[in-house]
Amino acid sequence: MKLLRVHIISAKTCGGLLDGVDRSLRSPFSDYPSFDPLCLIGPNGAGKSQFLQMIAEIFQSVFYACIREEERIEGNPDLQFEIEYLIYPEDDQIPVRVRISREAVDRKRPPLIIQRRDEDEYEWIDCDLNTPETHTLLPHKVVGYTSGDNETLSLPFLVSRSGYADEVGRRALNAATRSQSVPDTRLMLIDYETHLEVLVANLLLGEASQRDKLLEEAKLQDLHSFRCIIQLAHQKKNKKQTRRKGIQLTDELETYIDQLQRCATCYTYDDETETYTFDYWINDEMRIAFRSFWGNALNLYSSFHKLAMLNDLVLSKKTRDRFRRDTRTRRFASRLPEPQDEDKVFRFERVRFRKKQAEDTKDQEVDYVSLSDGEHQLGQLLGTFCMLSSPNVLFLLDEPESHFNPQWRVKFISRILYLPTKDGDRREASRASRQDCLLTTHAPFIPSDMKRDKVFIFSKNEEGKIQIKNPDVETVGSTFDTIIEECFEVRPPISQRPRDKIEELMQSDNPEEIRAGIQGLGSSVEKVFLADHLRQVTNKDGV
């Protein structure tokens, strides 16, 4: 899919910051043969993260209206919007242009309207919300990524997660519904709490070329071993006559536990706490076993994540009710807290890797916790793109390179484009080219990899309203200082303290003072100007 236009008519989110924003992102008449992400850049508080959140909440409302068995809760029912995009239903070669809108009339709660464009007749055709044909016009997945506790983007995804956990609990307690699978939500959040789910799934079932890409910067060879623990009975045990003492499971989740047990190198079970401890030593036979049950990395990740979402059920009902209440009142500082590790239903432990060694040296093991945040983030991001190479996936990435060093930031877009998929690298793969990606940043590295029409500068005007524009200069290949000046109005691109010192010395007529100041400055264009000022002052004194 490719987003074309986003119009936020009215939203209670972020105090109406984005109300009235109407932004075209692409032309509906261009050909998009490659994976071409869009970059949102600008200062803090300019609305970039909120823009991503609005897109996620729009699609959450759409999924809730059309596929309620997947999306059980609507996080922002008062949101009014219009959105347009291109999508490829059922792998069709020709994309369909879709417009979805919801706008209030006479203060009544408005209906959701989905339309498809008939390009031959030049008209919009209304679609029935509940038909399979309409469902093919919706994104297959909306993937949110945040590198920290960013409630702005996370909220709609956390709402979906809590809805899933509650439904699992209800179905598991009812014998009539226990055997029914709980459908996945199409909203998929990747944050620091899911990093090991992503990485382990990819390193078990990803292709060898993908595994190499995930580990090359950390100079690791492969996954060596890991442990996962599933603990169902906690301090507050279930007093009812049920299959389990603690957390109740659907047959689907019971099957996942059985499969994890069958794949384990060894395992133990504590009947008192209903705790499974599975240990895995990774070799070719282990990968064959996992592949026989799950087939690919995305399916395995989904199983890990479904078990991990049960961690919400460990929290008290009071805590979960507070989250729902704060969600309805749009209080974004609130999120469901993470239980302590010893209380979690599902967690990983002792994740270790084989370190790359010379042929004549003994293999060494490296623990996951010894890796840097940047190495964690890179493996998680690349793993997410490895898992999801199918068409009609929308990625919303909030500061995805925040923990990277400058060398990694320079290579970030290239790493994604050249990431291997089963159809080739993402730059050329036809399936990956039918995806879309919006990402935010505060750094010039990503815009320097993109044409100016793919870069959107966010800022506020004097009235506090959001303004969005493309750069006036071509960004692809531009120097970083050019982009910083264009996107942040910072010129020169040096810190304020040396800038003030240079301006002070430019007003001085004392050669010795200027000369001493120059000796304490690093290289910059401004230092050259100051040196020229010194020559002028010296020549003047000489005269």
Side-chain angles (χ1 to χ4, degrees):
M1 69 175 294
K2 301 292 181 184
L3 286 179
L4 302 176
R5 172 175 167 260
V6 177
H7 181 195
I8 308 300
I9 300 170
S10 176
K12 291 183 178 180
T13 302
C14 56
L17 180 67
L18 293 173
D19 285 6
V21 167
D22 188 352
R23 181 66 208 189
S24 174
L25 301 175
R26 294 186 178 90
S27 166
F29 307 111
S30 298
D31 184 28
Y32 300 103
S34 61
F35 182 73
D36 57 339
L38 306 179
C39 175
L40 316 183
I41 190 170
N44 291 326
K48 303 181 300 300
S49 298
Q50 289 87 345
F51 190 76
L52 296 188
Q53 179 193 349
M54 287 296 91
I55 294 173
E57 290 192 346
I58 285 171
F59 284 113
Q60 184 179 54
S61 294
V62 174
F63 298 150
Y64 178 77
C66 298
I67 323 173
R68 200 161 295 186
E69 64 272 18
E70 293 182 10
E71 193 61 48
R72 300 149 188 91
I73 303 175
E74 184 177 15
N76 193 354
D78 297 315
L79 177 62
Q80 298 178 52
F81 61 88
E82 187 171 276
I83 191 168
E84 292 183 33
Y85 57 90
L86 297 176
I87 200 161
Y88 297 80
E90 303 299 333
D91 287 342
D92 285 352
Q93 295 299 314
I94 301 176
V96 175
R97 187 175 169 188
V98 178
R99 182 171 70 189
I100 306 177
S101 60
R102 186 169 68 186
E103 184 172 5
V105 179
D106 298 328
R107 297 185 179 180
K108 296 180 181 178
R109 178 158 292 180
L112 186 81
I113 299 172
I114 299 180
Q115 300 171 304
R116 61 179 295 163
R117 180 78 171 178
D118 187 328
E119 300 296 353
D120 294 327
E121 299 295 331
Y122 300 103
E123 63 180 8
W124 291 98
I125 301 172
D126 290 348
C127 301
D128 186 332
L129 301 187
N130 300 310
T131 64
E133 292 78 15
T134 300
H135 298 170
T136 65
L137 302 178
L138 306 180
H140 176 64
K141 287 285 185 185
V142 177
V143 182
Y145 174 84
T146 172
S147 59
D149 292 334
N150 187 334
E151 315 311 335
T152 301
L153 177 60
S154 302
L155 186 70
F157 298 90
L158 296 175
V159 168
S160 290
R161 188 181 80 173
S162 67
Y164 174 88
D166 287 346
E167 179 147 348
V168 168
R170 287 194 300 271
R171 290 200 186 189
L173 287 170
N174 187 335
T177 60
R178 187 181 298 143
S179 61
Q180 301 173 4
S181 295
V182 181
D184 294 353
T185 173
R186 298 195 185 195
L187 265 65
M188 178 176 170
L189 178 66
I190 305 294
D191 62 4
Y192 200 77
E193 298 302 328
T194 64
H195 54 145
L196 281 171
E197 299 162 23
V198 172
L199 192 59
V200 170
N202 276 279
L203 294 180
L204 278 172
L205 294 184
E207 300 297 327
S209 59
Q210 295 173 337
R211 301 198 301 267
D212 289 344
K213 287 293 183 183
L214 266 58
L215 297 176
E216 66 178 355
E217 285 296 341
K219 296 181 172 52
L220 300 175
Q221 183 175 344
D222 200 356
L223 183 63
H224 175 272
S225 57
F226 69 95
R227 166 178 288 181
C228 65
I229 296 175
I230 300 171
Q231 178 181 326
L232 301 173
H234 296 75
Q235 291 88 345
K236 296 181 180 179
K237 296 182 180 179
N238 193 341
K239 297 180 181 179
K240 299 179 181 178
Q241 293 291 75
T242 55
R243 293 193 297 179
R244 295 280 188 182
K245 299 174 184 177
I247 301 294
Q248 301 301 300
L249 302 179
T250 60
D251 289 351
E252 175 190 8
L253 297 178
E254 294 281 8
T255 298
Y256 295 155
I257 293 177
D258 178 66
Q259 292 170 343
L260 288 171
Q261 179 174 308
R262 290 170 181 269
C263 292
T265 305
C266 58
Y267 71 92
T268 60
Y269 175 69
D270 184 331
D271 181 66
E272 177 64 23
T273 60
E274 290 187 323
T275 298
Y276 298 83
T277 302
F278 300 126
D279 284 299
Y280 302 89
W281 185 78
I282 310 305
N283 55 22
D284 291 341
E285 288 73 20
M286 176 71 67
R287 288 194 166 96
I288 291 172
F290 271 93
R291 194 172 297 278
S292 69
F293 288 121
W294 282 281
N296 59 51
L298 182 59
N299 291 338
L300 179 56
Y301 163 81
S302 179
S303 297
F304 285 152
H305 192 55
K306 286 180 178 182
L307 290 168
M309 284 193 287
L310 299 181
N311 292 334
D312 289 359
L313 299 179
V314 178
L315 303 173
S316 69
K317 185 176 183 300
K318 181 179 179 181
T319 299
R320 287 182 280 146
D321 287 344
R322 185 264 303 162
F323 174 75
R324 294 190 188 94
R325 183 172 60 254
D326 289 349
T327 299
R328 287 194 297 269
T329 57
R330 317 307 296 156
R331 294 178 184 171
F332 292 148
S334 174
R335 75 174 285 168
L336 280 170
E338 281 293 320
Q340 296 295 320
D341 275 356
E342 58 269 20
D343 294 329
K344 288 182 177 180
V345 175
F346 178 84
R347 69 181 188 270
F348 286 98
E349 287 185 355
R350 302 182 186 181
V351 180
R352 297 190 175 100
F353 303 90
R354 295 184 180 92
K355 188 174 182 179
K356 286 185 177 180
Q357 299 289 328
E359 293 183 2
D360 58 345
T361 59
K362 185 178 180 181
D363 286 348
Q364 294 183 11
E365 297 174 21
V366 176
D367 198 288
Y368 180 77
V369 298
S370 69
L371 302 181
S372 70
D373 284 345
E375 289 168 328
H376 291 173
Q377 187 177 22
L378 184 63
Q380 185 184 40
L381 276 164
L382 297 183
T384 300
F385 280 104
C386 283
M387 290 192 307
L388 293 157
S389 60
S390 57
N392 302 327
V393 175
L394 172 61
F395 295 93
L396 305 173
L397 313 181
D398 198 20
E399 299 183 43
E401 66 341 334
S402 59
H403 294 299
F404 293 170
N405 62 55
Q407 288 184 333
W408 288 12
R409 288 186 173 194
V410 168
K411 299 176 182 177
F412 177 59
I413 295 298
S414 297
R415 287 187 190 282
I416 295 175
L417 292 178
Y418 288 93
L419 192 65
T421 71
K422 65 186 186 66
D423 299 313
D425 65 45
R426 294 186 64 84
R427 180 188 55 167
E428 299 175 352
S430 60
R431 292 166 66 83
S433 69
R434 298 178 182 182
Q435 300 178 338
D436 205 359
C437 176
L438 277 70
L439 56 89
T440 70
T441 187
H442 290 117
F445 305 96
I446 292 176
S448 184
D449 251 333
M450 296 180 175
K451 299 285 287 183
R452 63 179 294 272
D453 63 329
K454 301 296 191 298
V455 178
F456 298 86
I457 302 173
F458 279 61
S459 62
K460 284 183 181 178
N461 62 21
E462 293 180 356
E463 290 76 33
K465 289 295 184 180
I466 299 300
Q467 294 181 318
I468 307 172
K469 69 168 189 173
N470 296 112
D472 293 328
V473 300
E474 181 54 75
T475 48
V476 64
S478 286
T479 59
F480 297 153
D481 57 342
T482 300
I483 294 174
I484 290 174
E485 180 180 351
E486 176 70 13
C487 298
F488 295 96
E489 298 181 354
V490 174
R491 185 183 183 277
I494 58 177
S495 296
Q496 189 64 44
R497 188 178 176 189
R499 184 189 310 178
D500 292 343
K501 182 62 176 177
I502 290 173
E503 290 179 357
E504 178 185 334
L505 292 172
M506 290 291 288
Q507 304 302 317
S508 174
D509 292 326
N510 185 334
E512 294 304 321
E513 179 186 21
I514 298 172
R515 191 173 289 109
I518 288 176
Q519 291 176 352
L521 292 170
S523 298
S524 69
V525 173
E526 289 65 37
K527 183 178 179 180
V528 174
F529 290 151
L530 185 58
D532 184 63
H533 175 61
L534 174 61
R535 283 192 293 273
Q536 293 178 24
V537 170
T538 303
N539 291 338
K540 180 180 177 181
D541 290 345
V543 174

